[in-house]
Amino acid sequence: MHTIGTPGLWLAFSLLVVIALVIDFAVMRAGGAHKVSYKEAAIWSIAWIVLAMLFNLGLWYWLGQRGDPALANETALQFLTGYVVEKALAIDNIFVFLLIFTRFGVSAELQQRALMVGILGAIVLRAILIFIGAALISRYHWILYLFGAFLVYTGIQMVRAPNDETDFDSNPMLRWMRSHLRLTNEYHGSSLSVMKEGVRYFTPMFLVIMLLAVTDVIFAVDSIPAIFAITEDPFIVLSSNVFAVLGLRALYFLIAGMSERFHLLNYGLAAVLVFIGTKMLIVDVWKVPIGLSLGMVAVLIGGSLVASRLIPPAEANR
């Protein structure tokens, strides 16, 4: 498969991610368990976005210095478009995370630690899925059509059921854990398990983190095919995905309290999936320019956010 990812580039990317995670963990540990304020979440969200853009800038500069400015410009646009798409689709994750925390009564002080562990799991699982997807596409080009059709179908389903509630009690994994593991009914701080009379019990925090990881994998089934419509380079796919996921914890606290203000966002996300799915289906007829793709994604997401502020929810009109 074709990729710009040299061993040195993969190493630099990996080191940057590890350093960023270590700093994030250190700051979270120093701050202790506390309720994340809107200001703190905003600062961290901006910091993660700036880090992603600096990485993209460095990538563009490095490719340009190798004597291929056209490739540098194309790659930078691909990364930016992929990052915006993944960031936008991650918002849908956040609303489900909010449901999970509410359903299991996770205190605001413990939510950030649960998200941090969940993000680590998400990075590993997404990397596995991305490399599998890249290998399949490089061998079977027609899989792009399956991805495209799936995204169009998913987008239509989101429009048909924009407020579909998640039934956690019927979740197969949750039911299995409840029937096979010893569970406590109360939280023990951020501990995932505790010992009682020489027997290990798992806490509700363990259930929450497992659900967060499973939820992210489910959403990755949508988001990973979406970015393969933008580029088939596994390095760009993985790096843009990882940088979008790294800022998920801060983004959660930034918009968790504003979920009801963006009641039309699902329609914007659905439109993005339909657009990207269609882009995949016509790839052999017309390859949509990256700049146009980025503009369409920005218009669809931005338009749904603006419309949410201008058009009150249906319940408010009754």
Side-chain angles (χ1 to χ4, degrees), residues 218-242:
I218 292 172
F219 278 99
V221 173
D222 294 342
S223 62
I224 290 176
I227 197 172
F228 273 117
I230 298 165
T231 176
E232 296 176 26
D233 186 327
F235 181 81
I236 302 301
V237 172
L238 181 61
S239 59
S240 58
N241 236 279
V242 168

Side-chain angles (χ1 to χ4, degrees), residues 56-73:
N56 195 23
L57 180 63
L59 190 61
W60 171 82
Y61 179 78
W62 181 76
L63 289 172
Q65 288 297 300
R66 299 184 72 183
D68 197 342
L71 176 62
N73 293 336

Side-chain angles (χ1 to χ4, degrees), residues 21-300:
L21 286 172
V22 169
I23 294 174
D24 199 21
F25 262 115
V27 172
M28 184 180 70
R29 192 180 187 88
H34 68 283
K35 183 176 181 180
V36 179
S37 67
Y38 182 86
K39 180 180 178 181
E40 181 183 351
I43 292 173
W44 272 103
S45 292
I46 293 172
W48 285 119
I49 292 173
V50 169
L51 179 64
M53 294 304 101
L54 287 176
F55 175 81
N56 195 23
L57 180 63
L59 190 61
W60 171 82
Y61 179 78
W62 181 76
L63 289 172
Q65 288 297 300
R66 299 184 72 183
D68 197 342
L71 176 62
N73 293 336
E74 181 79 1
T75 300
L77 273 177
Q78 289 175 347
F79 179 92
L80 180 59
T81 305
Y83 178 79
V84 171
V85 168
E86 294 301 320
K87 203 73 168 177
L89 294 177
I91 295 175
D92 224 19
N93 295 38
I94 287 173
F95 293 147
V96 178
F97 291 170
L98 182 60
L99 289 175
I100 293 174
F101 287 145
T102 302
R103 168 67 177 77
F104 288 89
V106 182
S107 67
E109 290 75 15
L110 295 178
Q111 287 178 9
Q112 62 169 329
R113 187 173 294 274
L115 285 169
M116 194 66 196
V117 177
I119 286 171
L120 289 176
I123 290 175
V124 174
L125 293 173
R126 282 175 180 252
I128 294 172
L129 291 175
I130 285 170
F131 284 118
I132 292 174
L136 289 174
I137 290 173
S138 67
R139 186 168 183 178
Y140 307 107
H141 178 73
W142 51 266
I143 288 180
L144 284 175
Y145 297 115
L146 293 182
F147 282 174
F150 175 74
L151 291 176
V152 171
Y153 171 79
T154 303
I156 293 173
Q157 288 297 105
M158 287 178 68
V159 172
R160 294 178 61 183
N163 298 313
D164 189 26
E165 291 290 335
T166 302
D167 184 7
F168 295 113
D169 290 327
S170 63
N171 183 285
M173 183 176 181
L174 182 59
R175 285 189 296 177
W176 185 90
M177 288 190 293
R178 283 175 168 169
S179 61
H180 290 78
L181 301 178
R182 296 186 181 89
L183 303 173
T184 65
N185 293 321
E186 65 282 344
Y187 286 90
H188 293 264
S190 59
S191 299
L192 302 183
S193 65
V194 293
M195 296 295 293
K196 290 185 176 181
E197 299 178 353
V199 178
R200 183 168 297 280
Y201 285 80
F202 292 92
T203 68
M205 180 63 77
F206 176 81
L207 299 183
V208 168
I209 288 177
M210 295 302 295
L211 279 177
L212 291 178
V214 170
T215 298
D216 186 80
V217 171
I218 292 172
F219 278 99
V221 173
D222 294 342
S223 62
I224 290 176
I227 197 172
F228 273 117
I230 298 165
T231 176
E232 296 176 26
D233 186 327
F235 181 81
I236 302 301
V237 172
L238 181 61
S239 59
S240 58
N241 236 279
V242 168
F243 276 107
V245 171
L246 282 175
L248 191 58
R249 180 170 64 92
L251 187 63
Y252 168 83
F253 290 107
L254 185 64
I255 72 172
M258 303 186 297
S259 58
E260 295 182 357
R261 299 184 185 182
F262 302 126
H263 59 284
L264 298 178
L265 177 60
N266 262 13
Y267 293 101
L269 296 175
V272 168
L273 291 179
V274 171
F275 167 70
I276 293 176
T278 303
K279 182 175 179 289
M280 273 183 158
L281 292 174
I282 65 174
V283 66
D284 290 327
V285 178
W286 180 48
K287 188 174 182 179
V288 180
I290 294 297
L292 178 59
S293 296
L294 178 59
M296 281 294 297
V297 171
V299 168
L300 292 172

